[in-house]
Amino acid sequence: YKNIGDLENTIKLDLVKSSYEDGIVSLRYKNDFLKNIDAMYVLNDFETNLLTSGFTKKINDYKRMIYVNDTYKIIIKKEMNYLIILIMEN
């Protein structure tokens, strides 16, 4: 899953928790060093990689984004000082 959107190199926040349950990968990133910057702003490279690799953006609002392709669905949301990325098979 870390190859999707080149997660490891494009999300520049600290990964504080990851889990896998019922076919869903959940990644929780802490927005520590960017307290004055919305965590959604660090997603530019990740989003670009998703779009160029065949994902389509289905929902984009202030707190949530959803991308899908034929294989995966990716939900990105923010909660307080965390950025949460959920990856599941479509």
Side-chain angles (χ1 to χ4, degrees):
Y1 288 102
K2 68 183 177 181
N3 291 330
I4 296 172
D6 195 18
L7 266 168
E8 209 167 40
N9 295 312
T10 57
I11 304 296
K12 302 296 184 192
L13 299 173
D14 291 329
L15 179 64
V16 293
K17 183 179 180 184
S18 62
S19 62
Y20 177 80
E21 186 174 331
D22 296 329
I24 300 172
V25 173
S26 175
L27 305 167
R28 183 178 291 255
Y29 295 89
K30 179 78 171 168
N31 188 15
D32 260 347
F33 68 95
L34 298 171
K35 292 185 188 224
N36 296 322
I37 298 175
D38 190 319
M40 294 298 226
Y41 288 116
V42 304
L43 293 171
N44 287 339
D45 292 339
F46 181 62
E47 285 185 276
T48 299
N49 288 348
L50 290 177
L51 293 171
T52 58
S53 65
F55 281 85
T56 303
K57 186 185 284 190
K58 293 295 183 180
I59 294 178
N60 182 23
D61 60 35
Y62 180 68
K63 292 189 176 195
R64 175 179 62 139
M65 297 178 194
I66 297 178
Y67 292 86
V68 297
N69 70 5
D70 291 336
T71 309
Y72 297 106
K73 178 178 185 179
I74 299 173
I75 300 171
I76 304 166
K77 60 184 183 172
K78 65 178 186 172
E79 284 184 12
M80 298 165 50
N81 288 335
Y82 294 95
L83 180 69
I84 301 165
I85 298 177
L86 303 171
I87 303 170
M88 62 204 75
E89 289 189 17
N90 210 358

